[in-house]
């Protein structure tokens, strides 16, 4: 597995692979890798010939300085984990390489960025679009793989690819869960034992909500979920929203003829966890 920090070297190696007729699969990450990331690499290797992963904690997508400072950074162990996968190249640039000068681009994702994560983390998706568009230009992948846990991020990235007319196919991949249902996330590593024991209450509540959806109204379900989460002293709901799968517009009635996804953000003390579930 090749480990590269500079753009020119990355691009030379990718040019060589493309010259050999190999397709490029790309898994962008911020490191602190878990089985969810490794499953993206695995899916990528089934669909493309040469899998590139990036490890870069992108400062422009953090609207909270503490969150950026506390984000786990584990390059050595990440590289060991990737060595055991079919990843062929890891791009792990410095901040100065990705941002030799300030990126002042302002994307407009309309309503996609005014709900849920967009509402509670202003500027977050602009930062994600900045870094992912730069990475796409550097790696020039045929396909890029993203987890469905970050449901809204996926929608924003698809919109960005469309706006910038980038020739890359975005592949959504299933959320990986721990044995007790907790969605895998790098942030889970920061949970204390006690918090970790209580965090699965989030997914359990989402499953119950999905089962209850036919019995009560959308508004009633929203109230029910927030109360159910907040009953647990370790958890506090930031938002719970039921949106249409494509535009992410909040729905107000089950009769709306769209595929529905229930999305949640919960604070476990200072650690913010997100998850979602499809509602039939
Ligand atoms: O999902 C993530 O880990 C990040 O938002 C991404 C896509 C790697 C961009 O920094």
């Amino acid at each position: 597995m090749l480990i590269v920090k500079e753009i020119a070297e990355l691009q030379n190696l990718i040019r060589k692979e493309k010259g050999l007729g190999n397709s490029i699969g790309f898994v962008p990450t911020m490191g602190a890798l878990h089985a969810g990331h490794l499953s993206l690499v695995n899916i990528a290797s089934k669909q493309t010939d040469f899998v590139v992963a990036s490890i870069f904690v992108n400062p422009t997508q953090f609207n909270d300085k503490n969150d950026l400072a506390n984000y786990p950074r584990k390059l050595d162990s990440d590289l060991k984990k990737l060595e055991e996968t079919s990843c062929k190249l890891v791009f792990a640039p410095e901040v100065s390489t990705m941002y030799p000068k300030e990126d002042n681009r302002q994307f407009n994702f309309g309503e996609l960025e005014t709900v849920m994560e967009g509402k509670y983390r202003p500027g977050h998706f602009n930062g994600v679009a900045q870094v992912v568009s730069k990475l796409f230009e550097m790696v020039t992948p045929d396909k890029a793989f993203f987890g469905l846990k970050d449901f809204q991020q996926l929608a924003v990235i698809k919109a960005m690819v469309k706006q910038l007319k980038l020739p890359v196919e975005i592949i959504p991949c299933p959320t990986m869960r721990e044995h007790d249902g907790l969605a895998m996330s790098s942030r889970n590593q920061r949970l204390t034992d006690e918090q970790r024991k209580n965090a699965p209450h989030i997914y359990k509540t989402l499953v119950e909500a999905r089962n209850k959806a036919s019995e009560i109204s959308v508004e009633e379900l929203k109230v029910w979920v927030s109360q159910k989460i907040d009953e647990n002293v370790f958890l506090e709901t930031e938002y719970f929203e039921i949106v249409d799968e494509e535009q992410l517009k909040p729905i107000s009635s089950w009769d709306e003829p769209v595929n529905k996804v229930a999305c949640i953000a919960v604070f476990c003390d200072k650690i913010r966890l997100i998850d979602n579930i499809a509602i039939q």
Side-chain angles (χ1 to χ4, degrees), residues 12 15-16 34-35 39 56 64 66 68 78 80 86 101 116 133 138 142 158 196-197 239 241-243 272 274:
N12 276 339
R15 214 171 295 126
K16 202 173 111 204
H34 50 69
S39 82
F56 179 66
D64 173 348
N66 273 335
L68 173 61
D78 287 344
K80 282 199 188 98
S86 36
K101 59 179 176 29
M116 304 192 293
S133 59
M138 293 168 189
D142 296 282
K158 281 188 194 157
R196 175 65 189 81
K197 265 189 218 139
Y239 67 76
E241 198 58 85
I242 302 165
V243 298
R272 191 171 178 280
I274 60 171

Side-chain angles (χ1 to χ4, degrees), residues 16-30:
K16 202 173 111 204
E17 291 304 324
K18 288 195 168 181
L20 294 170
N22 288 334
S23 58
I24 309 294
F26 182 39
V27 179
T29 82
M30 295 207 297

Side-chain angles (χ1 to χ4, degrees), residues 30-32 57-59 62 67-78 189:
M30 295 207 297
V57 181
N58 172 39
F62 285 83
D67 196 19
L68 173 61
N70 291 320
Y71 202 85
R73 288 163 173 85
K74 306 188 163 188
L75 187 60
D76 290 346
S77 69
D78 287 344
Q189 300 175 17

